[in-house]
């Protein structure tokens, strides 16, 4: 399974409350989650995100209260994957359950820059951008299946919206 998207960067470590504040998370409203996602870090970020983009965190993605809603908020805004320097295993497990691949690739997280196109081959374990490729351990079958389901649902939602069936 291959994902392609443009890089959107965040500097430093990232905690769940920085991804989505607790009050917004409690609402459970996907539109509000998308609008407020990462507002504490970069208020204009959601305006730049296009569905399928890849969030690059030049730091650690940390676990804490609300990390499940943080994963859902990242998906609500349109992120298809996260690349970071390091990640808490609890966050990886939660994200992979929801079909959001999170990859700890320290070198890539510092070298990838805003708006570059990246290609993630989740089955073969490679991340490519321009002339550079990084390798990682391919995702497990269960995670790949979850990512496929998530991508299919996103595609179905786009078709419904584009064709006017949602009205």
């Amino acid at each position: 399974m291959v994902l392609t998207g443009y890089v959107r960067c965040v500097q430093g470590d990232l905690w769940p409350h920085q991804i989505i504040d607790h009050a917004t998370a409690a609402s459970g409203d996907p539109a509000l989650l998308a609008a407020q996602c990462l507002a504490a870090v970069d208020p204009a970020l959601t305006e730049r995100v296009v569905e399928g983009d890849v969030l690059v965190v030049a730091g650690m993605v940390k676990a804490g209260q609300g990390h499940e809603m943080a994963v859902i908020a990242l998906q609500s805004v349109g992120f298809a994957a996260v690349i970071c320097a390091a990640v808490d295993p609890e966050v990886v497990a939660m994200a992979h359950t929801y079909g959001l691949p999170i990859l700890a690739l320290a070198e890539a997280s510092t070298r990838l820059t805003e708006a570059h196109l990246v290609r993630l081959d989740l089955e073969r374990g490679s991340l490519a951008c321009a002339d550079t490729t990084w390798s990682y351990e391919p995702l497990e079958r269960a995670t790949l299946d979850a990512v496929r389901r998530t991508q299919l649902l996103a595609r179905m939602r786009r078709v419904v919206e584009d064709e006017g069936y949602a009205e």
Side-chain angles (χ1 to χ4, degrees):
M1 164 165 226
V2 175
L3 300 176
T4 57
Y6 291 96
V7 170
R8 302 297 167 208
C9 294
V10 172
Q11 300 300 315
D13 292 343
L14 196 56
W15 290 88
H17 70 275
Q18 292 174 300
I19 296 171
I20 195 73
D21 67 75
H22 298 300
T24 304
S27 78
D29 179 357
L32 191 55
L33 292 173
Q36 294 299 313
C37 185
L38 294 164
V41 177
D42 181 351
L45 181 66
T46 59
E47 296 170 15
R48 297 191 308 270
V49 176
V50 175
E51 192 167 330
D53 281 353
V54 176
L55 177 64
V56 174
V57 180
M60 181 174 186
V61 177
K62 299 191 175 219
Q65 181 183 1
H67 66 265
E68 180 176 12
M69 287 308 291
V71 167
I72 293 169
L74 291 171
Q75 288 179 305
S76 294
V77 79
F79 288 113
V82 177
I83 308 298
C84 55
V87 61
D88 190 303
E90 289 179 58
V91 177
V92 172
M94 183 61 63
H96 287 191
T97 298
Y98 280 100
L100 179 68
I102 296 187
L103 306 170
L105 298 168
E107 183 183 350
S109 74
T110 59
R111 292 190 50 205
L112 291 170
T113 56
E114 186 80 16
H116 278 93
L117 183 64
V118 294
R119 180 181 188 276
L120 280 163
D121 188 332
L122 302 175
E123 290 176 289
R124 290 183 178 84
S126 71
L127 165 65
C129 180
D131 295 334
T132 306
T133 301
W134 294 273
S135 296
Y136 58 89
E137 189 69 31
L139 298 183
E140 295 177 3
R141 178 63 43 203
T143 302
L144 289 170
D145 290 344
V147 173
R148 278 191 184 91
R149 283 191 301 274
T150 299
Q151 294 300 312
L152 176 61
L153 288 171
R155 172 75 177 125
M156 289 169 58
R157 186 178 69 243
R158 280 192 307 275
V159 168
V160 166
E161 290 170 357
D162 291 348
E163 298 297 324
Y165 295 124
E167 298 172 0

Coordinates of all heavy atoms in Angstrom, one line a residue, residues 75-151:
Q75 N -6.7 12.7 12.0 CA -7.4 12.1 10.8 C -8.5 13.0 10.3 O -8.7 13.1 9.1 CB -7.9 10.7 11.2 CG -6.8 9.7 11.3 CD -7.4 8.3 11.7 OE1 -8.1 8.2 12.6 NE2 -7.1 7.3 10.9
S76 N -9.2 13.7 11.3 CA -10.3 14.6 10.9 C -9.8 15.7 10.0 O -10.5 16.1 9.1 CB -10.9 15.2 12.1 OG -11.6 14.2 12.9
V77 N -8.6 16.2 10.3 CA -8.1 17.3 9.5 C -7.6 16.8 8.1 O -7.4 17.6 7.2 CB -7.0 18.1 10.3 CG1 -5.7 17.5 10.3 CG2 -6.9 19.5 9.7
G78 N -7.3 15.5 8.0 CA -6.9 15.0 6.7 C -5.5 14.3 6.6 O -5.1 13.9 5.6
F79 N -4.8 14.2 7.8 CA -3.5 13.6 7.7 C -3.6 12.1 7.5 O -4.4 11.4 8.1 CB -2.7 13.8 9.0 CG -2.2 15.2 9.2 CD1 -2.7 16.1 10.2 CD2 -1.3 15.7 8.3 CE1 -2.3 17.4 10.3 CE2 -0.8 17.0 8.4 CZ -1.3 17.9 9.4
A80 N -2.8 11.6 6.5 CA -2.8 10.2 6.2 C -1.7 9.4 6.9 O -1.8 8.2 7.1 CB -2.6 10.0 4.7
A81 N -0.7 10.1 7.4 CA 0.4 9.5 8.2 C 1.1 10.5 9.0 O 1.0 11.7 8.7 CB 1.3 8.8 7.2
V82 N 1.9 10.0 9.9 CA 2.8 10.9 10.7 C 4.2 10.4 10.7 O 4.4 9.2 10.9 CB 2.2 11.0 12.2 CG1 3.2 11.8 13.1 CG2 0.8 11.5 12.2
I83 N 5.2 11.2 10.5 CA 6.6 10.9 10.6 C 7.1 11.7 11.7 O 6.9 12.9 11.8 CB 7.3 11.3 9.3 CG1 6.7 10.7 8.0 CG2 8.8 10.9 9.4 CD1 6.6 9.3 7.9
C84 N 7.9 11.1 12.6 CA 8.4 11.8 13.8 C 9.8 11.3 14.2 O 10.2 10.2 13.7 CB 7.4 11.7 15.0 SG 7.0 10.0 15.4
A85 N 10.4 12.0 15.0 CA 11.8 11.6 15.5 C 11.6 10.4 16.4 O 12.4 9.5 16.4 CB 12.5 12.7 16.2
A86 N 10.6 10.4 17.3 CA 10.3 9.3 18.2 C 8.8 9.3 18.6 O 8.2 10.4 18.4 CB 11.2 9.4 19.5
V87 N 8.3 8.2 19.1 CA 6.9 8.2 19.4 C 6.7 7.2 20.6 O 7.3 6.2 20.7 CB 6.1 7.8 18.2 CG1 6.4 6.4 17.7 CG2 4.6 7.9 18.5
D88 N 5.8 7.6 21.5 CA 5.4 6.7 22.6 C 4.7 5.5 22.0 O 3.8 5.6 21.2 CB 4.5 7.5 23.5 CG 4.3 6.8 24.8 OD1 3.8 5.6 24.8 OD2 4.6 7.3 25.9
P89 N 5.0 4.3 22.4 CA 4.4 3.1 21.9 C 2.9 3.1 22.1 O 2.1 2.5 21.3 CB 5.0 2.0 22.8 CG 6.3 2.5 23.2 CD 6.1 4.0 23.4
E90 N 2.3 3.7 23.2 CA 0.9 3.8 23.3 C 0.2 4.5 22.2 O -0.9 4.2 21.8 CB 0.6 4.5 24.7 CG 0.9 3.7 25.9 CD 0.5 4.5 27.1 OE1 -0.7 4.9 27.3 OE2 1.4 4.7 28.0
V91 N 0.9 5.6 21.7 CA 0.3 6.4 20.6 C 0.4 5.6 19.4 O -0.6 5.6 18.6 CB 1.1 7.7 20.5 CG1 0.6 8.5 19.3 CG2 1.0 8.5 21.7
V92 N 1.4 4.9 19.1 CA 1.5 4.0 17.9 C 0.4 3.0 17.9 O -0.3 2.8 16.9 CB 2.9 3.3 17.9 CG1 2.9 2.3 16.7 CG2 4.0 4.3 17.7
A93 N 0.2 2.3 19.0 CA -0.8 1.3 19.1 C -2.2 1.9 18.8 O -3.0 1.3 18.0 CB -0.8 0.6 20.4
M94 N -2.5 3.0 19.4 CA -3.8 3.7 19.2 C -4.0 4.1 17.7 O -5.0 3.9 17.1 CB -3.9 4.9 20.1 CG -5.3 5.6 20.1 SD -6.7 4.5 20.5 CE -6.3 4.2 22.2
A95 N -2.9 4.8 17.2 CA -3.0 5.3 15.9 C -3.1 4.2 14.8 O -3.9 4.3 13.9 CB -1.8 6.1 15.5
H96 N -2.4 3.1 15.0 CA -2.5 2.0 14.1 C -3.9 1.3 14.2 O -4.4 0.9 13.1 CB -1.4 1.0 14.3 CG 0.0 1.5 13.9 ND1 1.1 0.7 13.8 CD2 0.4 2.8 13.5 CE1 2.1 1.5 13.4 NE2 1.7 2.7 13.2
T97 N -4.5 1.3 15.3 CA -5.8 0.8 15.4 C -6.8 1.6 14.6 O -7.7 1.0 13.9 CB -6.3 0.8 16.9 OG1 -5.4 -0.1 17.7 CG2 -7.7 0.3 17.1
Y98 N -6.6 2.9 14.6 CA -7.5 3.8 13.8 C -7.0 3.9 12.3 O -7.7 4.6 11.5 CB -7.6 5.1 14.4 CG -8.5 5.2 15.6 CD1 -8.0 5.1 16.9 CD2 -9.9 5.3 15.4 CE1 -8.9 5.2 18.0 CE2 -10.8 5.4 16.4 CZ -10.3 5.3 17.7 OH -11.1 5.4 18.8
G99 N -5.9 3.3 11.9 CA -5.5 3.3 10.6 C -4.7 4.5 10.2 O -4.6 5.0 9.1
L100 N -4.0 5.1 11.2 CA -3.1 6.2 11.0 C -1.7 5.8 11.2 O -1.3 5.6 12.4 CB -3.4 7.4 11.9 CG -2.5 8.6 11.8 CD1 -2.8 9.3 10.4 CD2 -2.8 9.6 12.9
P101 N -0.9 5.5 10.2 CA 0.5 5.1 10.4 C 1.3 6.2 11.0 O 1.3 7.3 10.5 CB 1.0 4.7 9.0 CG 0.0 5.2 8.1 CD -1.2 5.6 8.8
I102 N 2.0 5.8 12.1 CA 3.0 6.7 12.7 C 4.3 6.0 12.7 O 4.5 4.9 13.2 CB 2.6 7.1 14.2 CG1 1.3 7.8 14.2 CG2 3.7 7.9 14.8 CD1 0.9 8.4 15.6
L103 N 5.3 6.7 12.0 CA 6.6 6.1 11.8 C 7.7 7.0 12.5 O 7.7 8.2 12.3 CB 6.9 6.0 10.3 CG 5.9 5.3 9.5 CD1 6.2 5.5 8.0 CD2 5.8 3.8 9.9
A104 N 8.5 6.3 13.3 CA 9.6 7.0 14.0 C 10.8 6.9 13.1 O 11.5 5.9 13.0 CB 9.9 6.4 15.4
L105 N 11.1 8.0 12.4 CA 12.3 8.1 11.5 C 13.0 9.4 11.8 O 12.7 10.4 11.2 CB 11.8 8.0 10.0 CG 11.1 6.8 9.6 CD1 10.4 7.0 8.2 CD2 12.1 5.6 9.5
A106 N 13.9 9.3 12.7 CA 14.5 10.5 13.3 C 15.2 11.4 12.2 O 15.0 12.6 12.1 CB 15.6 10.2 14.3
E107 N 16.0 10.8 11.3 CA 16.6 11.6 10.3 C 15.6 12.2 9.3 O 15.7 13.4 9.0 CB 17.6 10.7 9.5 CG 18.4 11.5 8.5 CD 19.3 10.7 7.6 OE1 19.5 9.5 7.9 OE2 19.8 11.2 6.6
A108 N 14.7 11.5 8.9 CA 13.6 12.0 8.0 C 12.9 13.1 8.6 O 12.6 14.1 8.0 CB 12.7 10.9 7.5
S109 N 12.6 13.0 9.9 CA 11.8 14.1 10.6 C 12.5 15.4 10.7 O 11.9 16.4 10.8 CB 11.4 13.6 12.0 OG 12.5 13.7 12.9
T110 N 13.8 15.4 10.6 CA 14.6 16.7 10.6 C 14.9 17.2 9.2 O 15.2 18.3 9.0 CB 15.9 16.5 11.4 OG1 16.7 15.5 10.9 CG2 15.5 16.2 12.9
R111 N 14.9 16.3 8.2 CA 15.3 16.6 6.8 C 14.1 17.0 5.9 O 14.3 17.7 4.9 CB 16.1 15.5 6.2 CG 17.5 15.4 6.9 CD 18.5 14.6 6.3 NE 18.7 14.9 4.8 CZ 19.1 14.0 4.0 NH1 19.4 12.7 4.4 NH2 19.2 14.3 2.7
L112 N 13.0 16.4 6.2 CA 11.8 16.8 5.4 C 11.3 18.2 5.7 O 11.3 18.6 6.8 CB 10.7 15.8 5.7 CG 10.9 14.3 5.2 CD1 9.9 13.4 5.7 CD2 11.0 14.3 3.7
T113 N 10.9 18.9 4.6 CA 10.5 20.3 4.8 C 9.1 20.5 4.2 O 8.6 19.7 3.4 CB 11.5 21.2 4.1 OG1 11.6 20.9 2.7 CG2 12.9 21.2 4.8
E114 N 8.5 21.5 4.7 CA 7.1 21.9 4.4 C 6.9 21.9 2.8 O 7.7 22.3 2.1 CB 6.8 23.3 4.9 CG 5.4 23.8 4.7 CD 4.5 23.2 5.8 OE1 4.9 22.7 6.9 OE2 3.3 23.3 5.6
A115 N 5.8 21.2 2.5 CA 5.2 21.2 1.1 C 6.0 20.3 0.1 O 5.6 20.3 -1.0 CB 5.1 22.6 0.5
H116 N 6.9 19.5 0.6 CA 7.6 18.5 -0.3 C 6.6 17.3 -0.4 O 6.0 16.9 0.6 CB 8.9 18.1 0.2 CG 10.0 19.1 -0.1 ND1 10.4 20.1 0.7 CD2 10.8 19.1 -1.3 CE1 11.3 20.8 0.1 NE2 11.6 20.2 -1.1
L117 N 6.6 16.7 -1.6 CA 5.8 15.5 -1.8 C 6.6 14.3 -1.3 O 7.8 14.1 -1.7 CB 5.5 15.4 -3.3 CG 4.6 14.2 -3.7 CD1 3.2 14.4 -3.1 CD2 4.5 14.1 -5.2
V118 N 5.9 13.5 -0.5 CA 6.6 12.2 -0.1 C 5.7 11.0 -0.5 O 4.5 11.1 -0.8 CB 6.7 12.2 1.5 CG1 7.7 13.3 1.9 CG2 5.4 12.3 2.2
R119 N 6.4 9.9 -0.6 CA 5.8 8.6 -1.0 C 6.1 7.6 0.1 O 7.3 7.3 0.3 CB 6.3 8.2 -2.3 CG 5.7 6.9 -2.8 CD 6.4 6.5 -4.2 NE 5.7 5.4 -4.8 CZ 6.0 4.1 -4.5 NH1 6.9 3.8 -3.6 NH2 5.3 3.2 -5.2
L120 N 5.1 7.1 0.7 CA 5.3 6.1 1.8 C 4.8 4.7 1.2 O 3.6 4.6 0.9 CB 4.4 6.4 3.0 CG 4.9 7.4 3.9 CD1 3.8 7.9 4.8 CD2 6.0 6.8 4.8
D121 N 5.7 3.8 1.2 CA 5.3 2.4 0.8 C 5.2 1.6 2.1 O 6.3 1.2 2.6 CB 6.3 1.8 -0.2 CG 5.9 0.4 -0.7 OD1 5.1 -0.3 0.0 OD2 6.3 0.1 -1.8
L122 N 4.0 1.5 2.6 CA 3.8 0.9 3.9 C 4.1 -0.6 4.0 O 4.5 -1.2 5.0 CB 2.4 1.1 4.4 CG 2.0 2.6 4.5 CD1 0.5 2.7 4.8 CD2 2.9 3.3 5.5
E123 N 4.0 -1.3 2.8 CA 4.2 -2.7 2.8 C 5.7 -3.1 2.6 O 6.2 -4.1 3.1 CB 3.4 -3.4 1.6 CG 1.9 -3.4 1.9 CD 1.1 -3.9 0.8 OE1 1.1 -3.2 -0.3 OE2 0.6 -5.0 0.9
R124 N 6.4 -2.2 1.9 CA 7.9 -2.5 1.7 C 8.7 -1.7 2.7 O 9.9 -2.0 2.8 CB 8.2 -2.1 0.3 CG 7.6 -3.1 -0.7 CD 8.1 -2.7 -2.1 NE 7.5 -3.7 -3.1 CZ 6.3 -3.6 -3.6 NH1 5.5 -2.6 -3.3 NH2 5.9 -4.5 -4.5
G125 N 8.2 -0.8 3.4 CA 8.9 -0.1 4.4 C 9.9 1.0 3.9 O 11.1 1.0 4.2
S126 N 9.3 1.9 3.0 CA 10.2 2.9 2.5 C 9.5 4.3 2.4 O 8.3 4.3 2.2 CB 10.8 2.6 1.1 OG 9.8 2.6 0.1
L127 N 10.2 5.3 2.7 CA 9.7 6.7 2.6 C 10.6 7.4 1.6 O 11.9 7.4 1.8 CB 9.8 7.4 4.0 CG 9.7 8.9 4.0 CD1 8.3 9.3 3.5 CD2 10.0 9.4 5.4
A128 N 10.1 8.0 0.6 CA 10.9 8.6 -0.4 C 10.4 10.1 -0.6 O 9.2 10.4 -0.6 CB 10.7 7.9 -1.8
C129 N 11.4 10.9 -0.8 CA 11.2 12.3 -1.0 C 12.3 12.8 -1.9 O 13.5 12.7 -1.6 CB 11.1 13.2 0.2 SG 10.8 14.9 -0.1
A130 N 12.0 13.3 -3.1 CA 13.0 13.7 -4.1 C 14.0 12.6 -4.3 O 13.6 11.5 -4.7 CB 13.6 15.0 -3.7
D131 N 15.3 12.8 -4.1 CA 16.3 11.8 -4.3 C 16.7 11.0 -3.1 O 17.7 10.3 -3.1 CB 17.5 12.5 -4.9 CG 17.3 13.1 -6.3 OD1 16.4 12.6 -7.0 OD2 18.0 14.1 -6.6
T132 N 15.9 11.2 -2.0 CA 16.3 10.5 -0.7 C 15.3 9.5 -0.4 O 14.1 9.8 -0.5 CB 16.5 11.6 0.4 OG1 17.4 12.6 0.0 CG2 17.0 10.9 1.7
T133 N 15.7 8.3 0.1 CA 14.8 7.3 0.6 C 15.3 6.8 1.9 O 16.5 6.6 2.2 CB 14.8 6.1 -0.4 OG1 14.4 6.6 -1.7 CG2 13.9 5.0 0.0
W134 N 14.3 6.6 2.8 CA 14.6 6.1 4.2 C 13.8 4.8 4.3 O 12.7 4.6 3.8 CB 14.1 7.0 5.3 CG 14.8 8.3 5.3 CD1 16.0 8.6 6.0 CD2 14.5 9.5 4.7 NE1 16.3 9.9 5.9 CE2 15.4 10.5 5.1 CE3 13.4 9.9 3.9 CZ2 15.4 11.8 4.6 CZ3 13.4 11.2 3.4 CH2 14.4 12.2 3.8
S135 N 14.5 3.8 4.9 CA 13.8 2.5 5.1 C 13.4 2.3 6.6 O 14.0 2.9 7.5 CB 14.8 1.4 4.8 OG 15.2 1.4 3.4
Y136 N 12.4 1.6 6.8 CA 11.9 1.3 8.1 C 11.2 -0.1 8.0 O 11.0 -0.7 7.0 CB 10.9 2.3 8.6 CG 9.7 2.5 7.7 CD1 8.5 1.7 7.8 CD2 9.7 3.4 6.6 CE1 7.4 1.9 7.0 CE2 8.6 3.6 5.8 CZ 7.5 2.8 6.0 OH 6.4 3.0 5.1
E137 N 10.9 -0.6 9.2 CA 10.2 -1.9 9.3 C 8.8 -1.8 8.7 O 8.0 -1.0 9.2 CB 10.2 -2.4 10.8 CG 9.7 -3.8 11.0 CD 10.7 -4.8 10.5 OE1 11.9 -4.5 10.6 OE2 10.3 -5.9 10.1
P138 N 8.5 -2.6 7.7 CA 7.1 -2.6 7.1 C 6.1 -2.8 8.2 O 6.3 -3.5 9.2 CB 7.1 -3.7 6.1 CG 8.6 -4.0 5.8 CD 9.3 -3.7 7.1
L139 N 4.9 -2.2 8.0 CA 3.8 -2.3 8.9 C 3.3 -3.7 9.0 O 3.3 -4.4 8.0 CB 2.7 -1.3 8.6 CG 3.1 0.2 8.6 CD1 1.9 1.0 8.3 CD2 3.7 0.5 10.0
E140 N 2.7 -4.1 10.1 CA 2.1 -5.4 10.3 C 0.8 -5.5 9.5 O 0.2 -4.4 9.2 CB 1.8 -5.7 11.7 CG 3.1 -5.8 12.6 CD 2.8 -6.0 14.1 OE1 1.6 -6.1 14.4 OE2 3.7 -6.0 14.8
R141 N 0.4 -6.7 9.1 CA -0.8 -6.9 8.3 C -2.0 -6.2 8.9 O -2.8 -5.6 8.2 CB -1.1 -8.4 8.1 CG -2.3 -8.7 7.3 CD -2.3 -8.3 5.9 NE -1.1 -8.5 5.2 CZ -0.7 -7.8 4.1 NH1 -1.5 -6.9 3.6 NH2 0.4 -8.1 3.6
A142 N -2.3 -6.3 10.2 CA -3.4 -5.7 10.9 C -3.4 -4.2 10.7 O -4.5 -3.6 10.5 CB -3.5 -6.1 12.3
T143 N -2.3 -3.6 10.8 CA -2.2 -2.1 10.6 C -2.4 -1.8 9.2 O -3.1 -0.8 8.9 CB -0.8 -1.6 11.1 OG1 -0.6 -2.0 12.4 CG2 -0.7 -0.1 10.9
L144 N -1.9 -2.5 8.3 CA -2.1 -2.3 6.8 C -3.6 -2.3 6.5 O -4.2 -1.5 5.8 CB -1.3 -3.2 6.0 CG 0.2 -3.0 5.9 CD1 0.8 -4.2 5.2 CD2 0.5 -1.7 5.2
D145 N -4.3 -3.3 7.1 CA -5.7 -3.5 6.9 C -6.5 -2.3 7.4 O -7.4 -1.8 6.8 CB -6.2 -4.8 7.5 CG -5.7 -6.0 6.8 OD1 -5.3 -5.9 5.6 OD2 -5.8 -7.1 7.4
A146 N -6.1 -1.8 8.6 CA -6.7 -0.7 9.2 C -6.5 0.6 8.3 O -7.4 1.4 8.1 CB -6.2 -0.4 10.6
V147 N -5.3 0.8 7.8 CA -5.0 1.9 6.9 C -5.8 1.8 5.7 O -6.4 2.8 5.2 CB -3.5 2.0 6.6 CG1 -3.2 3.1 5.6 CG2 -2.7 2.2 7.9
R148 N -5.9 0.6 5.1 CA -6.8 0.4 3.9 C -8.2 0.8 4.2 O -8.9 1.5 3.4 CB -6.7 -1.0 3.4 CG -5.5 -1.3 2.6 CD -5.6 -2.7 1.9 NE -4.4 -3.0 1.2 CZ -3.4 -3.6 1.8 NH1 -3.4 -4.1 3.0 NH2 -2.3 -3.8 1.1
R149 N -8.8 0.4 5.3 CA -10.2 0.7 5.6 C -10.3 2.2 5.8 O -11.3 2.8 5.3 CB -10.6 0.0 6.9 CG -10.9 -1.4 6.8 CD -11.6 -2.0 8.0 NE -10.8 -1.9 9.2 CZ -9.8 -2.8 9.6 NH1 -9.6 -3.8 8.8 NH2 -9.1 -2.6 10.7
T150 N -9.4 2.9 6.5 CA -9.4 4.3 6.7 C -9.4 5.1 5.4 O -10.1 6.0 5.1 CB -8.3 4.8 7.6 OG1 -8.5 4.1 8.9 CG2 -8.3 6.2 7.8
Q151 N -8.5 4.7 4.5 CA -8.3 5.3 3.2 C -9.6 5.1 2.3 O -10.0 6.0 1.6 CB -7.1 4.8 2.5 CG -5.8 5.2 3.1 CD -5.6 6.7 3.2 OE1 -5.8 7.4 2.3 NE2 -5.3 7.2 4.4

